[in-house]
Amino acid sequence: MTRINSSKASRIFAGMIAVLMILGVLFFSFYISSELEHNCTGGDCPICASIQQCENVLHKIGGGIALAVSIILPVLLICVLIYISGNDLLQATPVSRKIRMND
């Protein structure tokens, strides 16, 4: 029996959470679009209440995504720029190539 190390387990868990969030967003979006033209019974309409709850969840998820993108995107761009410029800074020298220099 093999054991799953914690980093692999956390990646699997994060992937499952991402899939569940995507499915939730799709379900809420389809529910709102299908019930948009319902026969409203007034102030105590259960369909309007559930549509309001779906919209609240979508706004909360959207706010978290915008915050994550605004933080992660600049960090990724800086990492890519460092990687690209790092290739130019590291030049091949005889020492880095381990060439023996006998006089």
Side-chain angles (χ1 to χ4, degrees):
M1 179 178 220
T2 61
R3 291 185 59 174
I4 299 175
N5 59 8
S6 64
S7 64
K8 187 174 183 180
S10 64
R11 283 186 284 170
I12 291 171
F13 183 69
M16 290 185 337
I17 294 294
V19 167
L20 288 175
M21 285 185 66
I22 291 171
L23 289 175
V25 167
L26 288 174
F27 172 75
F28 290 144
S29 300
F30 286 130
Y31 181 77
I32 290 172
S33 64
S34 67
E35 295 295 333
L36 200 58
E37 298 289 329
H38 72 281
N39 292 329
C40 190
T41 59
D44 293 332
C45 181
I47 296 175
C48 289
S50 61
I51 288 175
Q52 183 64 33
Q53 288 177 348
C54 291
E55 288 176 349
N56 288 338
V57 169
L58 288 175
H59 286 296
K60 288 179 184 177
I61 290 174
I65 291 172
L67 179 64
V69 168
S70 66
I71 292 172
I72 293 173
L73 190 62
V75 172
L76 287 177
L77 288 175
I78 290 170
C79 290
V80 167
L81 289 174
I82 289 172
Y83 179 75
I84 291 171
S85 65
N87 288 338
D88 293 336
L89 295 175
L90 298 175
Q91 296 178 356
T93 63
V95 174
S96 68
R97 292 184 189 171
K98 297 187 181 198
I99 297 174
R100 189 171 175 184
M101 301 171 85
N102 293 336
D103 285 333

